[in-house]
Amino acid sequence: MMGTSGRQRASAHALANMPWVIPDKDVATMFGNYGTSFMLHIKSNGDGSKTLANIRDTLLPKLLSGEISPGDADLNAELVAC
C-alpha cells in the first residue's frame, strides 16, 4: 500500500502483477443479483438516516429551548417526517 493512512492505495504495478480470477457469466450474474439487494438495503438505511437527522435537527433546538416538551416531541416528529 502507498500513501497516507487516510488515502492508502495499491500501486498500479502491484495490481498488474497480481493473479486475477475472472468469474463466468452465471457466477457474475448471481453475484450482481446478490449484491444489488444489499446495495438497495444500504440506500434505504442511508435515506432513513437522513430522515432521522432532519427530525433531530428540527426538534432538538426546540426541546433545548423549552419551546416544546418531550411529550410534544412525538407529535412534532410525525409532522417533521411528513
Side-chain angles (χ1 to χ4, degrees), residues 2-71:
M2 300 170 29
T4 63
S5 61
R7 300 264 313 174
Q8 286 191 337
R9 59 203 172 274
S11 70
H13 177 27
L15 291 174
N17 293 313
M18 287 184 69
W20 294 92
V21 176
I22 312 272
D24 65 27
K25 185 178 178 180
D26 291 337
V27 171
T29 299
M30 288 173 59
F31 179 81
N33 292 338
Y34 191 69
T36 296
S37 68
F38 279 106
M39 295 304 289
L40 291 172
H41 192 70
I42 289 168
K43 181 174 180 343
S44 176
N45 286 344
D47 292 344
S49 179
K50 288 176 187 174
T51 299
L52 290 172
N54 183 34
I55 292 169
R56 177 205 60 219
D57 293 344
T58 302
L59 294 178
L60 187 58
K62 293 179 181 190
L63 285 165
L64 292 174
S65 71
E67 184 179 337
I68 62 174
S69 68

